Amino acid sequence: MNKREFLETLKEALSEEMPASLVRENVQYYSQYIDGEVEKGCTEKEAVEKLGAPRLIAKTLLEAFETTGQTYGSDGNQTTRAARKICAAL
């Protein structure tokens, strides 16, 4: 799976239950994460493989969103924090 496919799958899965603004924030976060890994020397495919299944990530993010019910901006966004925790665990 390449970056585009990963992000499209993630966006599709998140769009089912999350506001569009938060979907965009999370897709942007993962796009930047993949770009950062590529800058460090990984191939795009390796960076995507490190993340794992985008639908599983979406499930985790949606659970965080549903638990907190937060819909505020990116600086304090609970869902984006969940995304950072997922990436930090890699």
Side-chain angles (χ1 to χ4, degrees):
M1 178 178 289
N2 63 31
K3 176 183 172 182
R4 182 186 55 78
E5 293 167 331
F6 177 89
L7 295 175
E8 284 179 7
T9 303
L10 181 65
K11 181 179 177 181
E12 178 184 304
L14 291 174
S15 293
E16 297 172 7
E17 299 180 45
M18 187 179 282
S21 62
L22 295 181
V23 172
R24 281 190 300 276
E25 286 183 17
N26 282 287
V27 169
Q28 180 180 10
Y29 177 83
Y30 282 97
S31 177
Q32 291 173 347
Y33 176 85
I34 293 167
D35 290 344
E37 291 299 303
V38 170
E39 287 177 17
K40 293 177 189 175
C42 287
T43 66
E44 187 176 281
K45 184 177 179 183
E46 290 169 336
V48 169
E49 286 175 355
K50 276 185 177 182
L51 288 170
R55 290 200 180 276
L56 181 57
I57 291 170
K59 181 180 180 211
T60 302
L61 293 171
L62 287 167
E63 286 172 358
F65 173 71
E66 290 169 4
T67 299
T68 63
Q70 303 298 328
T71 58
Y72 45 88
S74 60
D75 288 342
N77 183 314
Q78 290 288 336
T79 306
T80 303
R81 282 190 212 150
R84 289 188 184 114
K85 286 180 182 179
I86 292 168
C87 289
L90 300 177

